[in-house]
Amino acid sequence: MMMNHLFWLLPLVFPHLSSPVILLERNDGNLFHNWNHLMEGDKIVLHRSKRDWMWRQFFLSEEYTGSNYQYVGKLRSDKDIGDGTARYVLSGEGAGTVFRIDEKSGDLHATQRLDREEKASYTLQAQAFNKITGLPLEPATEFIVKIHDINDNEPKFTRAVYSASVPEMSDVGTFVIEVNATDADDATYGNSAKLVYSILQGQPYFSVDPDTGIVRIALSSMDREVRKEYQVVIQAKDMAGQMGGLSGTTTVNVTLTDVNDSPPRFAYSSYHLSTYESAEIGSTVGRIKANDGDEGENAEMKYRIVEGDGKEFLDIITDEISQEGVIVVKKKLDYESKRVYTVKVEVTNTHQDPNFFHLGPFSDTAIIKVTAKDVDERPIFSRPQYVFEVNEDTPKGTTIGTITAWDPDATDYPIQYAVDHHTDPERLYHIDPKNGSITILKSLDREVSKWHNISVLASEMNNPHQRSRVPVLIKVLDVNDNAPEFAMIYETFVCENVKAGQLIQTISAIDTDEPLVGHKFVFSLNSMNPNFTIFDNEDNTARILTRRSGFNRREMSVYYLPVVISDSDYPIQSSTSTLTIRVCSCDATGNMRSCSVDALLLSAGLSTGALVAILLCILILLMIVVMFSALKKQRRKEPLIISKEDVRDNVVSYNDEGGGEEDTQAFDIGTLRHPEVIESNKLRRDIIPEMLFPYHRPSPMKECADVRDFIISRLQDNDTDPFAPPYDSLATYAYEGNGSIAESLSSLESSVTEGDHEYDYLSNWGPQFKKLADMYIGKDTGVAN
């Protein structure tokens, strides 16, 4: 029963190990249970189970540096009786390359230098064969060769360079960064991979935890404004940091980030600036800047004026980009009243950290003195504008007001005044150039213009270019100088069958004057009228009533009623307006049906005289038209020769365009080719020559060879032209000829009298010039007789 718990112990001695290795072999899976029984002292008889192989595992050191193959161990089979018939064969990982076995003795050697970091173990199979029969002596058995680690790898950090940042002024022990290093050696064996961290560079500012590699602040009050960048060198060493261990290093670049621990400070306690007194409001006087060692929002500052006699005139604005304080003009400076303006400026941080209030105060002050520089200023008026009132009946030459101006400079030069004539084109006003009094040059009329806007110029005597302008508004006050009149033109009619006391018209009045209490008109008749009467409604209107009944338009078609209209202002103004009343025929309800012609014409606004004038104008226009027509007809019958005294060349013009190919009565070009056949041409009767000045033409030569040759030559050129159009066309040429016996044709060289001219040659020109020949030849004959 105890056989199930049997196992055997076989001590094997390997030459490369300092102690024997005990291999345990068991027959069941309860090895530790059996071992416990052994430890409890159980009296168990151990029987060695017969096994073919006496090994299971070998150990081999890495990085062997010897010249011979490294001995691993010896393999031996129980079937090997030592007669040399057994042959050992090795297979598996590295068999034949990394490991080699002696076939006879079973000795196992490593042929290469092994690296545990590349491969930590090799699994091999060994088997014994009979050399003679080639049969295996026993089944193959698997074993493992493990590579024993040595310290041949230095620690390596995950990064060659680390970057970290930490706020300045941090407390001791503040975390900065954690660095990590690894060692490729076996961490389970010895201290080859046991790392220890230390600082080679960066003390006393930083420290590192030797086990974790965490870097921390080691010195308090580290100020970024003093030093911003730090370089820390960290070392990792294996073998637990002992001598002989391998090490690696890395660099940590530590940057101190800014905190608001530096208050702003002015470089100087006072600043001196200057500007001209003419500087515009809002213009820059100068810039100042406080120094702050911080950066970013911790360096943002704000400036303000806290006190000073120039606080009313100066202001300071913070430039958010440059963090400067910009001094600007708040109110116009005056050199004559104050030369130096002083203010006290305060600067503070906009983002303050309560943790650093003990380093404050985070503000500073400085005195700013601004000196105003003198400029030649323009004259200044006592008011920005002047308003004067004047009655419209004020006499010419009356003074209506005075303008006052002075030189604001310390020199105080005299001022001269003038009216800008562009604003007073009618020249109504004048200003005294010395004292500035304004007088009236012309009478004013409020009904034409109620207000007059002029500009007065003031300039220095010694420098007229320094000139100022001020508006002067003159209000013309009303005076009751206009009488009231009808508000409109009334068209009033009365029916023939009207009854007494009947209303025929309601009238009202207007007045261009404007009294302070409003208009009040009184209506009346200038005399007793038997036909009509007036009733004042006392509301600036009046009613016209009939005094009797029954009107006859045949007896009187129009009545004129004078109405007196008076105002109630002082002095009282009145006028008489005439109301025209037409008599018309009306129906029973009082609606007008018809009026006389004269009345209708009057209603249209035309008098008899106007109608007569219109008729006369129409008659004159008709006479002018008739006169022009007669002159035109007479002009057509004028003779061809207008005057015997006309010594100009006379030309007869024919407005003839020709009749085309079918026109057999037109001129024949053959006449030009053969002048001798001129007389045989037919008489042309289809054209009547218009008036024109007859002209002098010399008798043609019998022989015109040059003209004939010129025309024939051009005719042949056109007939033989392959590009000529396939239809009749006109070709025009200019030819002056070889000379003319007529010499000059100018009338300036002609004889003074007409008797010097001979016109017999006109009879030789053919029928076309027969009429011309009859006129001139017949005239000469008559003169001779």
Side-chain angles (χ1 to χ4, degrees):
M1 293 177 61
M2 300 300 296
M3 293 301 293
N4 294 333
H5 303 285
L6 291 179
F7 64 94
W8 54 268
L9 300 176
L10 177 64
L12 296 178
V13 178
F14 295 93
H16 62 279
L17 299 178
S18 60
S19 60
V21 176
I22 299 178
L23 301 181
L24 301 179
E25 177 68 18
R26 58 186 175 85
N27 293 330
D28 62 2
N30 200 353
L31 173 63
F32 294 99
H33 176 74
N34 294 334
W35 179 259
N36 292 333
H37 281 287
L38 290 174
M39 297 302 295
E40 292 174 359
D42 293 344
K43 296 179 179 180
I44 299 174
V45 179
L46 300 178
H47 297 276
R48 179 180 179 269
S49 298
K50 186 178 177 64
R51 296 296 298 171
D52 294 330
W53 294 96
M54 297 177 295
W55 44 269
R56 285 294 184 184
Q57 193 173 42
F58 292 102
F59 290 91
L60 186 64
S61 296
E62 66 173 336
E63 305 295 342
Y64 175 71
T65 58
S67 58
N68 298 324
Y69 291 159
Q70 186 178 5
Y71 182 75
V72 179
K74 188 177 182 64
L75 284 74
R76 182 174 178 79
S77 174
D78 292 343
K79 302 294 184 179
D80 185 1
I81 58 177
D83 57 358
T85 60
R87 181 174 65 88
Y88 294 93
V89 177
L90 185 67
S91 63
E93 295 178 339
T97 57
V98 178
F99 299 100
R100 181 176 294 178
I101 191 171
D102 190 310
E103 294 182 352
K104 295 181 180 181
S105 63
D107 292 333
L108 182 64
H109 292 83
T111 62
Q112 297 180 5
R113 184 178 179 180
L114 303 180
D115 187 358
R116 191 200 67 84
E117 285 70 38
E118 292 183 0
K119 191 170 178 63
S121 64
Y122 295 85
T123 301
L124 299 170
Q125 293 84 30
Q127 191 173 14
F129 291 88
N130 189 306
K131 286 183 180 181
I132 299 174
T133 63
L135 297 176
L137 296 179
E138 54 188 26
T141 302
E142 184 178 86
F143 66 96
I144 297 174
V145 178
K146 290 187 176 180
I147 309 302
H148 183 66
D149 183 47
I150 64 174
N151 189 21
D152 60 342
N153 290 280
E154 69 277 4
K156 293 183 179 180
F157 285 92
T158 56
R159 298 182 191 174
V161 178
Y162 289 84
S163 296
S165 61
V166 63
E168 63 174 333
M169 309 301 290
S170 296
D171 297 333
V172 175
T174 302
F175 175 85
V176 178
I177 194 173
E178 180 180 358
V179 297
N180 293 296
T182 58
D183 195 320
D185 293 326
D186 190 0
T188 63
Y189 179 78
N191 293 324
S192 298
K194 178 66 175 179
L195 304 182
V196 174
Y197 298 94
S198 62
I199 288 183
L200 300 182
Q201 177 184 324
Q203 295 176 335
Y205 307 104
F206 300 94
S207 64
V208 62
D209 188 290
D211 297 326
T212 61
I214 295 177
V215 181
R216 300 180 183 274
I217 295 292
L219 184 65
S220 62
S221 302
M222 296 177 64
D223 193 354
R224 186 198 66 85
E225 287 73 33
V226 176
R227 182 177 176 182
K228 182 178 180 181
E229 304 286 345
Y230 293 86
Q231 191 175 70
V232 182
V233 179
I234 306 295
Q235 175 186 265
K237 191 174 183 180
D238 59 13
M239 298 299 293
Q242 299 176 5
M243 293 183 63
L246 303 178
S247 64
T249 60
T250 187
T251 300
V252 180
N253 293 325
V254 181
T255 301
L256 297 183
T257 57
D258 186 54
V259 297
N260 193 5
D261 61 336
S262 297
R265 292 290 181 264
F266 284 110
Y268 306 98
S269 60
S270 64
Y271 295 83
H272 295 270
L273 305 174
S274 62
T275 187
Y276 288 100
E277 62 173 334
S278 60
E280 297 294 333
I281 295 177
S283 61
T284 300
V285 177
R287 291 172 174 258
I288 61 173
K289 185 176 182 180
N291 299 320
D292 191 327
D294 298 321
E295 62 182 7
E297 70 173 13
N298 295 323
E300 293 181 2
M301 296 173 285
K302 183 179 181 181
Y303 300 85
R304 70 186 185 96
I305 295 177
V306 294
E307 60 183 17
D309 56 12
K311 186 176 181 180
E312 181 182 355
F313 300 89
L314 300 173
D315 196 6
I316 188 168
I317 302 173
T318 302
D319 188 332
E320 296 182 357
I321 298 177
S322 63
Q323 294 299 310
E324 293 177 317
V326 183
I327 308 297
V328 298
V329 177
K330 183 179 180 181
K331 185 179 179 181
K332 275 284 190 177
L333 307 181
D334 188 6
Y335 171 84
E336 287 71 29
S337 61
K338 192 175 183 61
R339 304 291 177 87
V340 179
Y341 299 82
T342 304
V343 292
K344 185 177 182 180
V345 175
E346 180 186 57
V347 59
T348 57
N349 279 133
T350 55
H351 302 279
Q352 298 184 18
D353 191 343
N355 296 323
F356 302 100
F357 279 170
H358 63 281
L359 301 177
F362 285 83
S363 63
D364 197 13
T365 59
I367 301 299
I368 310 296
K369 294 183 178 181
V370 178
T371 301
K373 295 189 290 186
D374 187 29
V375 295
D376 189 7
E377 299 178 89
R378 298 178 179 180
I380 297 177
F381 289 95
S382 60
R383 303 178 191 172
Q385 71 175 14
Y386 293 83
V387 179
F388 299 126
E389 293 182 350
V390 57
N391 292 327
E392 60 178 327
D393 60 349
T394 302
K396 300 177 184 179
T398 303
T399 300
I400 63 174
T402 302
I403 305 296
T404 304
W406 66 89
D407 182 8
D409 298 321
T411 54
D412 194 15
Y413 289 112
I415 303 299
Q416 61 181 2
Y417 303 91
V419 175
D420 186 353
H421 294 303
H422 294 90
T423 61
D424 185 23
E426 299 178 1
R427 304 295 189 271
L428 298 176
Y429 302 98
H430 171 73
I431 187 170
D432 189 286
K434 294 183 178 181
N435 59 27
S437 59
I438 299 177
T439 57
I440 300 175
L441 296 179
K442 297 181 180 180
S443 299
L444 305 179
D445 188 355
R446 191 203 64 84
E447 285 69 38
V448 175
S449 178
K450 298 179 181 179
W451 285 92
H452 295 160
N453 300 333
I454 64 174
S455 295
V456 172
L457 307 176
S459 59
E460 298 178 5
M461 285 286 195
N462 66 319
N463 187 8
H465 297 288
Q466 288 293 81
R467 185 169 59 184
S468 299
R469 176 189 302 267
V470 68
V472 178
L473 308 180
I474 302 174
K475 182 179 181 181
V476 181
L477 302 178
D478 184 44
V479 175
N480 192 25
D481 57 349
N482 293 281
E485 57 186 11
F486 279 155
M488 56 182 295
I489 299 176
Y490 294 99
E491 296 182 2
T492 306
F493 68 92
V494 60
C495 296
E496 291 181 312
N497 55 355
V498 70
K499 296 180 180 180
Q502 186 171 345
L503 173 66
I504 61 174
Q505 184 69 59
T506 299
I507 60 175
S508 62
I510 57 174
D511 192 341
T512 55
D513 295 323
E514 293 183 358
L516 297 177
V517 296
H519 292 292
K520 178 62 178 177
F521 302 128
V522 177
F523 299 88
S524 63
L525 299 179
N526 58 354
S527 61
M528 180 65 67
N529 190 293
N531 302 310
F532 305 99
T533 185
I534 189 170
F535 181 80
D536 193 340
N537 297 325
E538 297 184 356
D539 58 356
N540 294 335
T541 62
R543 291 177 290 173
I544 305 299
L545 306 174
T546 55
R547 185 179 289 274
R548 64 181 179 86
S549 61
F551 290 85
N552 190 339
R553 58 177 173 170
R554 294 183 181 84
E555 298 177 357
M556 180 70 68
S557 60
V558 178
Y559 291 89
Y560 299 99
L561 180 64
V563 178
V564 178
I565 308 174
S566 303
D567 58 24
S568 58
D569 203 357
Y570 179 83
I572 296 176
Q573 299 288 338
S574 64
S575 66
T576 300
S577 299
T578 301
L579 182 66
T580 301
I581 304 174
R582 297 179 293 121
V583 179
C584 300
S585 173
C586 302
D587 56 17
T589 59
N591 296 322
M592 181 183 66
R593 292 188 300 181
S594 64
C595 298
S596 64
V597 177
D598 292 341
L600 291 176
L601 291 176
L602 290 173
S603 66
L606 296 177
S607 62
T608 303
L611 292 175
V612 173
I614 293 173
L615 292 177
L616 287 176
C617 291
I618 294 174
L619 181 61
I620 292 172
L621 289 175
L622 291 176
M623 293 176 64
I624 291 173
V625 172
V626 172
M627 185 182 298
F628 271 102
S629 300
L631 290 175
K632 188 173 182 181
K633 292 181 179 179
Q634 183 179 1
R635 183 179 179 184
R636 292 180 179 177
K637 296 181 180 180
E638 289 182 356
L640 292 174
I641 305 292
I642 298 176
S643 173
K644 295 181 179 181
E645 300 298 327
D646 192 353
V647 297
R648 293 178 297 171
D649 294 339
N650 297 321
V651 180
V652 177
S653 175
Y654 293 89
N655 187 14
D656 180 26
E657 296 182 358
E661 295 180 353
E662 298 179 0
D663 186 5
T664 57
Q665 300 297 323
F667 292 109
D668 186 6
I669 194 65
T671 304
L672 296 176
R673 299 191 181 95
H674 307 286
E676 62 275 6
V677 301
I678 294 177
E679 294 181 359
S680 62
N681 290 341
K682 296 181 180 179
L683 181 63
R684 182 174 179 134
R685 300 180 181 275
D686 58 341
I687 295 178
I688 299 175
E690 296 178 356
M691 164 225 66
L692 298 161
F693 300 101
Y695 64 97
H696 175 209
R697 178 174 179 178
S699 176
M701 296 289 293
K702 291 292 184 180
E703 296 295 330
C704 298
D706 56 337
V707 177
R708 181 173 62 251
D709 296 340
F710 177 83
I711 295 177
I712 292 174
S713 173
R714 295 296 181 270
L715 180 61
Q716 290 176 353
D717 293 341
N718 282 275
D719 291 339
T720 59
D721 186 8
F723 299 102
Y727 48 82
D728 292 343
S729 60
L730 176 65
T732 304
Y733 301 94
Y735 182 70
E736 297 181 357
N738 293 330
S740 174
I741 61 173
E743 298 179 349
S744 175
L745 300 179
S746 174
S747 61
L748 297 177
E749 298 179 0
S750 302
S751 300
V752 177
T753 62
E754 294 183 0
D756 296 336
H757 295 284
E758 294 182 0
Y759 302 101
D760 294 338
Y761 58 82
L762 293 177
S763 60
N764 298 326
W765 282 10
Q768 291 85 351
F769 302 93
K770 184 177 183 301
K771 185 173 183 179
L772 186 63
D774 292 342
M775 288 192 311
Y776 279 85
I777 295 175
K779 181 180 67 173
D780 292 345
T781 304
V783 173
N785 294 334

